[in-house]
Amino acid sequence: MNDRTILRIDKLHKSFGSTDVLRGVYLDVGLQEVIVIVGPSGTGKSTLLQCINLLTKPTGGSIWLEETEITAPRADVDRIRQRIGMVFQEFNLFNHLTALGNVTIGMTKVLGMKSNEAREKGMSELERVGLSEHAAKYPAQLSGGQKQRVGIARALGMDPHIMLFDEPTSALDPELTGEVLNVMRKLAVEGMTMLVVSHEMAFAREVADRVVFMENGVIVEEGPPDEFFATPRSERTREFLRIIGSSPGER
């Protein structure tokens, strides 16, 4: 991992009414680092990603992407989002567009690419996720795993500096989950900086540089996968790993 910090989260808070979802999150992400965030449902993991992508506005604290404070009042949100790729639980594809059309629409509408240039790059990104032969198909003609891979290609087409994945396999069966995780493994090998919310512990063990455990809106523990799974420091982390069947010694 490169020592350079690409993303810095400092004392991040987010409340919805009287409910505190994030209660002071601190996290630095290094260039080309893969971080997998785990924890019980409802602990703020997805909200954290939404704050990073500015889909929801933090209540307090700050987020820096490279040299830019993206939570600053006058931050250029549209420009910032071009640098942050986001893949959601749901596929969020345009049903009236082909796979290629879904990938290229952001390139033409947001980046201002010419159609032929966008098409060439779009085909390259579909090939990158193993879907070049399905470029002319519509979402209704694709499996769930293929739809999610189109979503990844769409995000990659914007040349993001960091990719955020919000439980990208939660809506998929095991076979289709493997398709998506294989693409994410490939991105990690290519050096993509990735922040992944996931319940896929085998993926976290294999691919993550660090595993982060969140609960009640804060980071309870973090560390390299070998240490996190084998010798967790927090009793709450040990309890969580026992419950999900990834306690020390289990593989």
Side-chain angles (χ1 to χ4, degrees), residues 8-15 21-27 44 47-52 56-64 71 214 217-218:
R8 173 161 292 166
I9 301 168
D10 185 47
K11 201 178 181 180
L12 194 69
H13 287 258
K14 177 60 185 178
S15 300
V21 179
L22 299 177
R23 301 187 299 112
V25 174
Y26 298 83
L27 183 66
T47 299
L48 175 60
L49 295 194
Q50 290 167 11
C51 285
I52 295 170
T56 188
K57 184 178 179 181
T59 308
S62 62
I63 304 173
W64 291 77
T71 47
M214 282 187 68
V218 297

Side-chain angles (χ1 to χ4, degrees), residues 41-79:
S41 298
T43 59
K45 304 184 302 295
S46 294
T47 299
L48 175 60
L49 295 194
Q50 290 167 11
C51 285
I52 295 170
N53 201 38
L54 303 178
L55 292 172
T56 188
K57 184 178 179 181
T59 308
S62 62
I63 304 173
W64 291 77
L65 178 62
E66 295 165 319
E67 303 303 321
T68 303
E69 184 188 352
I70 66 176
T71 47
R74 296 185 179 181
D76 186 339
V77 174
D78 291 336
R79 185 174 179 82

Side-chain angles (χ1 to χ4, degrees), residues 193-222:
T193 306
M194 297 161 58
L195 199 55
V196 183
V197 170
S198 181
H199 295 293
E200 300 291 339
M201 297 299 152
F203 175 82
R205 290 180 190 273
E206 176 189 351
V207 180
D209 295 298
R210 266 189 294 158
V211 182
V212 170
F213 175 58
M214 282 187 68
E215 187 173 51
N216 295 327
V218 297
I219 292 176
V220 176
E221 183 169 347
E222 61 179 282

Side-chain angles (χ1 to χ4, degrees), residues 128-131 134 142-150 152 168-169 172-186 203:
R128 194 174 177 185
V129 300
L131 287 177
H134 298 290
L142 300 173
S143 70
Q146 290 169 336
K147 291 176 185 177
Q148 193 62 291
R149 285 189 280 158
V150 171
I152 295 173
T169 61
L172 304 176
D173 65 34
E175 183 176 4
L176 299 181
T177 291
E179 295 179 6
V180 174
L181 293 180
N182 283 338
V183 170
M184 294 170 67
R185 288 185 182 95
K186 179 182 176 183
F203 175 82

Side-chain angles (χ1 to χ4, degrees), residues 102-127:
N102 271 280
V103 174
T104 60
I105 188 170
M107 301 179 197
T108 56
K109 299 294 186 183
V110 179
L111 300 182
M113 279 188 186
K114 294 180 180 179
S115 296
N116 60 339
E117 183 183 0
R119 178 180 175 82
E120 182 178 350
K121 182 169 177 55
M123 286 300 298
S124 176
E125 296 301 350
L126 285 173
E127 183 175 1

